[in-house]
Amino acid sequence: MKAEKGVRCFIHIFKAVLASGKDKNKPSRLTGSSDTALLRRLLGYAGPYRKQFILSALLAILLAILGPLRPYLVQLTVDRYIFPKDLHGLIIISLISLAVLVVESYLRYQFLYITNWLGQHVVRNLRMRVFNHTIRLRLSYFDKTPVGTSTTRTINDLETINSVFTEGIIQIIADLLTIIFVISFMLYSNWRLTLICLISFPLILYATYVFKEGIKKTYQSVRTQVALLNAFLQERITGMKVVQAFTAEEREYKKFQAINNEHRKANIRSVWYYSIFFPVVEIITSLAMALLVWYGAKDVMRDLATVGQITAFILYLNMLFRPLRMLADKFNTLQMGFVAADRVFHVLDNREMIDDTGKQEAPHFKGEIVFDHIWFAYREEDWVLQDLHLHIPAGETWAVVGATGAGKSSLINILNRFYPIQKGQISIDGTPITEYDLRSLRRQIGMVQQDVFLFSGSVHENITLHNEHISREQVIEAAKMLGAHEFIMQLPGNYDYQVMERGATLSLGQRQLISFIRALVYDPSILILDEATSSVDVETEQIIQHAVENLIAKRTSIIIAHRLSTIQHADNILVMDKGKVVESGNHVTLLEKDGAYKRLYELQFSQPAVP
Ligand code: DUT
Ligand code: MG
């Protein structure tokens, strides 16, 4: 409870400080939260480490007191021991000064270590939370969020938040306390000299303010430029084949050059602020010192000050101006931390979660699937499936054919709930799919997707997806069944062959085979194949065909195919067009119908020979 009080106290101080730094050009907040709300939320994440937080705050206070103590000791040394020529006392006070220095250094080490430790722990927790949240978001979130954005949120933005803890909050408090204590010590020693020193204070405050505002703007543009650079590079590297095939290197190079120029300009602007600010501060500090020595010397002559005090005040001046200079930087760090925190919280607050309220554990299905007047759109009212009504009896194999973009893949996207449907209901074995526990539902639906994705890692890991319950034997068995065992055995390292990112070191057909094995090892009760063999050669396709016949014999299956040869034995064939089923029946009845299916069939098989 004490910790909470302490935190509240800090927030209070901050409210005042931050309110003074508000400006109109602040980047718009995604969550609409104020700085204090963001800070409170961030500090909430430090909750488990409140001991460390309090300790670092205590250390900050101790250091703020110890700092000004040293110049004070110098003053005593000069006035009480050097001028009166007290050698014995001089040795003692030197030893005390040394002890203070050692203690201060040790405390500073502890302070730096703890604040960084704290920052790293908070950021680690927060990062895990962001990732955990991100992998639970609906696919529609990823459809509209660039990959780069999600990466930036979990990596760069969190790094920036780290600096709120390591260079932000506590350090600013420490600096403010240092300034307060230094001025108190100065006033206590000699108020006339103090006032002389503070004459230059408004000047330095103004310079700091100008610097802070300027650097903030340039920081923001640097960050924007970095993000642009990242996005550009990432996309070009992924699409390198297209760039090179269409000899677009020169044009891409020019574009890259333009972005780089902007990046350079933004950086140079921030460098400019630094290079002007530090000399200016240097000049003001020197002026303040000159004033101090000038008036101080006169005061010494009039016995209003001592030489020791002047020596101490020169040290005080440095102690006063250094934290001031740093404060400007730290406020920017804090501001950037808030901007980053705001973005990260925006992700965390995103409620586009997969609605996972189903409680019922999905059993090994018999496999009766009913699509009951389904209406579905990826984007509002832009119907991809319209009033779709299907009744697939348990154990049957249904095929779906139709033009590109007809909605075939969408049909299965909604079956395992990648996307929510707008109207109607889908049920399996008589229970709406929304009532099943999502994970158990998906485990029962084996799916070979149209676009195969492999992760970097071994072939084995790509098949099991790190599920330790699947043994190497099971994997090999499934691979043999699909006729993929031979090709895997020819890879260096066989099942431990390292697949590069996105499966770059394998052919498309080989990748399809691996994703096929992936679907099989889970022994699902419903099997869905979306163009699963579109890229393998005819011979391999026949082997798979044979395997598939065994597989589908004991479970409900939906097979999407462009090559009609693979689906002729299906119990029922649906011909889809523009989100609707336009024909349905088995191969023979559909041919008799002399409709869309017949036309497709003739196009593929009985093309008149080209003369
Ligand atoms: N669509 C989207 N967002 C997606 C996927 C598809 O808007 O994430 C649209 C594009 C298309 C329609 O839905 O107009 C149907 O796409 P689907 O992928 O279902 O088509 P398909 O029948 O599987 O086509 P293909 O044979 O090319 O795989
Ligand atoms: Mg498709």
Side-chain angles (χ1 to χ4, degrees), residues 155 265 292 468 516:
I155 308 215
K265 277 188 211 154
L292 173 72
E468 279 152 19
F516 218 121

Side-chain angles (χ1 to χ4, degrees), residues 2-18 35-36 39-40 43 46 50-61 111 115 118 165 168-177 331 334 338:
K2 261 189 215 152
E4 266 169 25
K5 230 179 183 173
V7 167
R8 228 174 289 145
C9 176
F10 281 136
I11 290 171
H12 215 70
I13 297 175
F14 261 81
K15 239 185 206 165
V17 177
L18 291 173
D35 285 342
T36 28
L39 182 64
R40 190 172 304 159
L43 287 181
R50 54 177 61 145
K51 255 194 220 147
Q52 284 79 1
F53 191 86
I54 294 171
L55 190 61
S56 59
L58 284 178
L59 283 171
I61 297 173
F111 179 64
T115 45
L118 189 69
F165 287 91
I169 311 175
I170 302 170
Q171 268 73 6
I172 289 182
I173 293 175
D175 283 350
L176 288 176
L177 284 175
F331 263 111
L334 199 64
F338 284 156

Side-chain angles (χ1 to χ4, degrees), residues 211 215 267-278:
F211 171 72
I215 208 84
N267 265 312
I268 288 182
R269 266 197 302 275
S270 79
V271 170
W272 183 82
Y273 275 105
Y274 274 101
S275 39
I276 200 108
F277 178 66
F278 284 110

